[in-house]
Amino acid sequence: MPKRGCPFGDAAPLQLKVRVGQRELSRGVCAERYSQEVFDPSGVASIACSSCVRAVDGKAICGQCERALCGRCVRTCWGCGAVACTLCGLVDCSDMYEKVLCTSCAMFET
């Protein structure tokens, strides 16, 4: 049995998966701004945030995985007040307001 044809014909663009890494970001539309956020004006690489790859502006680290975080990516656990990154923090949307839980507190909430 042959494959079914595309109902949109040639008008629809191809939907391919594209991997976007450091190299693609540094060559993209916002390459200049990206380079300024990641590198100091002297050209020396600064510590990058583990969540968004911006330059770290403080000394915040995730309490779970101990990775560096910028001010925009810091999430505070609703249960214990620990700092969590976007990868380790779990957002609970079951109530009227969203609350962030670290992995330790998320185990006890279920």
Side-chain angles (χ1 to χ4, degrees):
M1 180 174 200
K3 285 188 171 180
R4 183 176 62 170
C6 179
F8 304 108
D10 293 333
L14 293 175
Q15 296 179 358
L16 302 174
K17 292 183 181 178
V18 177
R19 182 184 177 279
V20 178
Q22 298 278 349
R23 192 168 113 202
E24 289 79 14
L25 286 174
S26 65
R27 294 181 185 177
V29 176
C30 301
E32 185 177 332
R33 185 183 66 170
Y34 173 78
S35 297
Q36 288 174 353
E37 289 180 353
V38 175
F39 296 99
D40 290 334
S42 62
V44 179
S46 63
I47 299 173
C49 175
S50 64
S51 296
C52 67
V53 196
R54 288 187 186 95
V56 173
D57 50 3
K59 295 192 179 206
I61 59 169
C62 176
Q64 306 294 314
C65 64
E66 298 182 352
R67 294 181 182 164
L69 298 171
C70 71
R72 295 180 187 174
C73 296
V74 171
R75 294 181 172 194
T76 306
C77 177
W78 182 79
C80 65
V83 175
C85 66
T86 54
L87 299 173
C88 296
L90 176 72
V91 180
D92 182 12
C93 301
S94 61
D95 291 336
M96 185 175 175
Y97 300 103
E98 292 181 352
K99 59 183 178 181
V100 177
L101 297 170
C102 66
T103 51
S104 301
C105 292
M107 289 182 356
F108 298 112
E109 283 289 319
T110 56

